[in-house]
Amino acid sequence: MLAKALPRPCSGAVHCRRDAQAAWPRSVVGVAGGARRGGVGGRLVAAVAGERSEAVQTAAVGGGKHHDNGSAMAGMDKLVTSTVGKSTNILWHDCPIGQPERQKLLNQKGCVVWITGLSGSGKSTLACALSRQLYSRGHLTYILDGDNLRHGLNRDLSFEAKDRAENIRRVGEVAKLFADAGLICIASLISPYRSDRSGCRNLLHNSSFIEVFLNVPLEVCEARDPKGLYKLARAGKIKGFTGIDDPYEPPSDCEIVIHCKAGDCATPKSMADKVVTYLEANGFLQD
C-alpha cells in the first residue's frame, strides 16, 4: 500500500491545482522546479497507478494547467522519457548551475588527463606528482588510479578482455563527471586497448581529453617490477598480463608523449612540468 502523499508547494512556473491532484487516485507525483534548456518549469517525474508503477512518458511544462485526468493541455512543451542501454523511462534533469559556473568558481577548466602505459611505467607516480604541482598552484584535482578503483568501484571485474573494457568504460564515465564538476581529473590506468581509450575520449569534448602516453620500453618496466608482477607473469602464475601474454596498443595520436629509456628517464617533477605546460598553453589553468 502507498502512503498518502502530502501536498507539495508550487515552484517555478508550474501552477498547482490541488483539486486536480485529488483527481489522481493512488498516484505519487514528484514535481521539481528549476531551469532547463528551452525554458523553466516543473518536471513530472513518475506516477504509480493500481498495483504497478509506470513511468510518465510526457510531462507538461510552462505556465499552463493540467487537466483533471493528468493530461497536458495542447500547445505546451512536453518532456519525453528515453531509453539508454537497459535503462528505460529515464529523463535527463538539467540544473541552473552547470559546468561554466563551477569552472568560474574554481578558476580552472574541467578536463581529463588520461595517463596510459605499461605496468611499471610510472603512471601513478606521474599522477601524484602532477596533482601535487597543481595543488600548490591552487588548482583542484582528483586522481582515478586503476588499482585503487579495483578496491571498490571495479572490484567485481577481472583482468579478462571483456572486464577490462568495462573497467575502462566505468572509469571514463566517472572521469567525465569530475570534468563536468570543473575538476582536473587525472586517470592513471594501463588501459591497454586503443578502442577503449577512444571510447573515453568520445565521452568528452575532444579538447578536454588529454591523453598522456608514458612510452617506457618493456625491458625497463620489467626491470623495475615494483609489484613483482612481471616475475609472476613470466613464471606463468598470472595469465593475460599486459606486455607478456596480452597486448598493449600504444596511442597513435595522443596529446603528450613522455619517453623514457634505460638510464635516461625524466624525474616525476619534470614529467609533471610537461603536463602542466600543456594545460597552461591550452587554457585549462586560469590563474
Side-chain angles (χ1 to χ4, degrees):
M1 293 291 291
L2 292 173
K4 183 177 180 181
L6 294 174
R8 299 185 62 179
C10 300
S11 62
V14 175
H15 300 278
C16 302
R17 290 183 57 191
R18 294 184 178 175
D19 57 335
Q21 290 180 353
W24 295 336
R26 306 182 67 184
S27 296
V28 177
V29 178
V31 178
R36 69 175 183 88
R37 294 187 183 93
V40 296
R43 295 172 184 271
L44 203 57
V45 193
V48 178
E51 298 301 322
R52 63 192 181 91
S53 173
E54 296 179 351
V56 174
Q57 294 301 314
T58 60
V61 180
K65 298 178 181 179
H66 293 291
H67 287 301
D68 286 350
N69 64 1
S71 63
M73 292 182 69
M76 301 181 69
D77 284 343
K78 293 182 179 179
L79 298 176
V80 181
T81 60
S82 59
T83 297
V84 180
K86 295 181 180 180
S87 298
T88 59
N89 302 311
I90 58 176
L91 179 67
W92 185 273
H93 191 111
D94 282 320
C95 294
I97 301 300
Q99 188 188 47
E101 290 77 18
R102 292 187 286 269
Q103 291 181 152
K104 184 177 180 181
L105 180 68
L106 296 171
N107 200 34
Q108 63 187 40
K109 286 186 179 180
C111 64
V112 174
V113 178
W114 192 281
I115 305 172
T116 177
L118 292 170
S119 177
S121 60
K123 298 179 299 299
S124 296
T125 300
L126 171 56
C128 291
L130 176 59
S131 180
R132 187 183 303 113
Q133 283 208 37
L134 292 172
Y135 172 81
S136 68
R137 297 177 54 161
H139 293 290
L140 186 59
T141 68
Y142 195 85
I143 297 174
L144 297 177
D145 182 85
D147 276 11
N148 290 356
L149 291 169
R150 283 183 176 272
H151 281 77
L153 177 66
N154 294 336
R155 65 182 179 182
D156 59 322
L157 301 176
S158 71
F159 286 91
E160 296 178 358
K162 181 179 179 181
D163 279 0
R164 280 193 137 166
E166 173 61 14
N167 177 61
I168 300 305
R169 187 196 70 81
R170 292 183 191 180
V171 178
E173 290 285 357
V174 174
K176 175 185 175 182
L177 295 176
F178 274 111
D180 184 61
L183 276 69
I184 298 171
C185 180
I186 307 168
S188 57
L189 305 95
I190 295 175
S191 43
Y193 309 133
R194 196 175 292 120
S195 61
D196 294 338
R197 297 192 302 267
S198 295
C200 294
R201 179 184 291 274
N202 292 336
L203 292 173
L204 295 98
H205 298 297
N206 195 46
S207 61
S208 298
F209 186 91
I210 302 147
E211 190 172 15
V212 180
F213 175 35
L214 286 183
N215 189 2
V216 183
L218 175 62
E219 57 269 20
V220 174
C221 295
E222 191 168 359
R224 293 173 176 175
D225 203 10
K227 306 174 191 174
L229 300 179
Y230 282 101
K231 184 177 180 179
L232 293 174
R234 291 293 188 188
K237 296 180 179 180
I238 297 179
K239 301 295 183 182
F241 191 78
T242 302
I244 303 301
D245 57 351
D246 200 65
Y248 176 82
E249 300 171 357
S252 57
D253 189 23
C254 60
E255 284 71 19
I256 301 173
V257 179
I258 298 177
H259 295 278
C260 175
K261 298 179 181 179
D264 184 22
C265 291
T267 65
K269 183 181 183 304
S270 62
M271 291 191 295
D273 283 340
K274 187 170 185 177
V275 180
V276 170
T277 298
Y278 179 92
L279 294 174
E280 283 181 320
N282 289 274
F284 291 101
L285 308 182
Q286 301 173 354
D287 292 329

